[in-house]
Amino acid sequence: MPHDLSPADLDRIRTWTPIDEDLVGVADDVARLCREVRLATGAADLARSHHWADVEGVDAHLDLPYLDDDSVFHRLDLFLPHDAVLRGGTTLPVYVDIHGGGFTYGSKELNRSFCQHLAAKGFAVFSLNYRLLPTVTFLEQLEDVAAAFRWIAGHLADYPVSREAVFVTGDSAGGALGFYATALACNPDAARAAGIPDWGLRPRGAALVSGLYDLAPLLDGSADGPATFLTALAPVFWDEHFRSLEPRFRDYAAMVAELDLPPIYLCTSSDDFLEADSLLLGAALARAGKRFEIQDWAPAPGVTLGHVFPVCVSWLEESDAVLNRIREFSYRLL
């Protein structure tokens, strides 16, 4: 069994990611690479998954379809503080969460604990699925996010939430999708150029965790480290339309310099393998005079935080501090 995973382990991993269910008809070499990435990442998440727990006082509305195609990839969850349900009203701010996983791994279930902890801080949190590499391109994943945005916009009135205070969050690859979604939703010209003109929502801000923002090394094959496998899948993932976009609609630094962006909060840590991406995005935001905050955690001696720690190890004190910082950042913008 790959990675010494038992059948029970595989069944558990499948609760938060497909392994090979969506790889039917995919070229053997591509399917093999994606399966290996999913198994290796799932094995890493397996131990901490036993600590993911539901949060008391948070109501869950699960598996809501945002497209009428019966696809598990087109469903979302909503987490609401029960107190907000009892109070009613239309003032509760909203977060839309986009899970990570190298664009090829994971689902909304991977982020369920994080989303509930975030909801408990005083938010409604929509957590969405999207189709995974290798069956779709980057722009097609953004099309899924846009479809979820449109569904959420059309259903906000069904819940005790504010329509004017919608924020975006995402981690790792979800941070990339969150950054691009925020930029496209706030810039109609960029959205039209990308071929995704209708977003339904204009985010008031974004809180991005350990995101992958510099896509150039993945496009030109120069990436190293854990994201290297994406260069092998570049012909599948980065279609000619995305490659042909002007830099201001594709390159993170040009986008920051030339597009209208809401305030952004960035979180990383000094032992995060994508730390540099957050720091480079922060530098670009600073040069462009955009409003942003960045939190680069230094773990205590002998302690590891690592990649996307507020999401995957959400019970840590440091993770709770990040959630409090997200609350402060967001509530200042209301």
Side-chain angles (χ1 to χ4, degrees), residues 35-88:
R35 189 180 299 111
E36 289 174 356
V37 169
R38 291 173 177 181
L39 288 172
T41 311
D45 279 332
L46 190 59
R48 56 192 173 196
S49 72
H50 294 281
H51 295 271
W52 298 338
D54 290 338
V55 177
E56 186 176 353
V58 173
D59 296 347
H61 303 262
L62 305 178
D63 287 326
L64 305 173
Y66 65 81
L67 286 176
D68 296 327
D69 60 3
D70 295 323
S71 170
V72 68
F73 294 107
H74 293 146
R75 298 177 187 174
L76 56 77
D77 297 337
L78 169 61
F79 301 100
L80 280 166
H82 187 62
D83 183 63
V85 176
L86 296 176
R87 291 172 181 268

Side-chain angles (χ1 to χ4, degrees), residues 64-133:
L64 305 173
Y66 65 81
L67 286 176
D68 296 327
D69 60 3
D70 295 323
S71 170
V72 68
F73 294 107
H74 293 146
R75 298 177 187 174
L76 56 77
D77 297 337
L78 169 61
F79 301 100
L80 280 166
H82 187 62
D83 183 63
V85 176
L86 296 176
R87 291 172 181 268
T90 57
T91 59
L92 187 70
V94 175
Y95 259 99
V96 181
D97 179 63
I98 307 169
H99 72 81
F103 305 103
T104 192
Y105 167 87
S107 69
K108 57 188 174 59
E109 279 69 31
L110 187 66
N111 284 27
R112 177 168 174 151
S113 179
F114 167 75
C115 289
Q116 291 192 52
H117 280 86
L118 181 58
K121 296 296 182 182
F123 301 98
V125 182
F126 290 92
S127 178
L128 59 95
N129 277 348
Y130 53 89
R131 289 169 295 168
L132 301 174
L133 178 67

Side-chain angles (χ1 to χ4, degrees), residues 7-226:
D9 290 337
L10 292 174
D11 286 344
R12 183 166 181 82
I13 289 170
R14 282 192 170 95
T15 64
W16 70 78
T17 188
I19 296 176
D20 49 19
E21 296 88 329
D22 60 334
L23 301 180
V24 177
V26 174
D28 289 346
D29 56 339
V30 173
R32 187 181 309 110
L33 177 58
C34 289
R35 189 180 299 111
E36 289 174 356
V37 169
R38 291 173 177 181
L39 288 172
T41 311
D45 279 332
L46 190 59
R48 56 192 173 196
S49 72
H50 294 281
H51 295 271
W52 298 338
D54 290 338
V55 177
E56 186 176 353
V58 173
D59 296 347
H61 303 262
L62 305 178
D63 287 326
L64 305 173
Y66 65 81
L67 286 176
D68 296 327
D69 60 3
D70 295 323
S71 170
V72 68
F73 294 107
H74 293 146
R75 298 177 187 174
L76 56 77
D77 297 337
L78 169 61
F79 301 100
L80 280 166
H82 187 62
D83 183 63
V85 176
L86 296 176
R87 291 172 181 268
T90 57
T91 59
L92 187 70
V94 175
Y95 259 99
V96 181
D97 179 63
I98 307 169
H99 72 81
F103 305 103
T104 192
Y105 167 87
S107 69
K108 57 188 174 59
E109 279 69 31
L110 187 66
N111 284 27
R112 177 168 174 151
S113 179
F114 167 75
C115 289
Q116 291 192 52
H117 280 86
L118 181 58
K121 296 296 182 182
F123 301 98
V125 182
F126 290 92
S127 178
L128 59 95
N129 277 348
Y130 53 89
R131 289 169 295 168
L132 301 174
L133 178 67
T135 60
V136 291
T137 67
F138 180 68
L139 286 177
E140 286 173 325
Q141 289 187 337
L142 283 171
E143 288 173 359
D144 285 357
V145 175
F149 274 31
R150 292 192 296 271
W151 186 94
I152 292 167
H155 289 81
L156 289 175
D158 299 337
Y159 305 103
V161 302
S162 171
R163 186 178 183 84
E164 287 73 41
V166 179
F167 300 83
V168 176
T169 185
D171 61 286
S172 197
L177 292 167
F179 173 72
Y180 274 81
T182 299
L184 295 178
C186 292
N187 293 272
D189 287 348
R192 282 191 291 271
I196 315 173
D198 182 12
W199 286 78
L201 295 173
R202 181 184 175 91
R204 183 168 289 197
L208 307 175
V209 177
S210 298
L212 174 66
Y213 310 113
D214 184 6
L215 303 182
L218 304 177
L219 289 164
D220 64 21
S222 63
D224 55 16

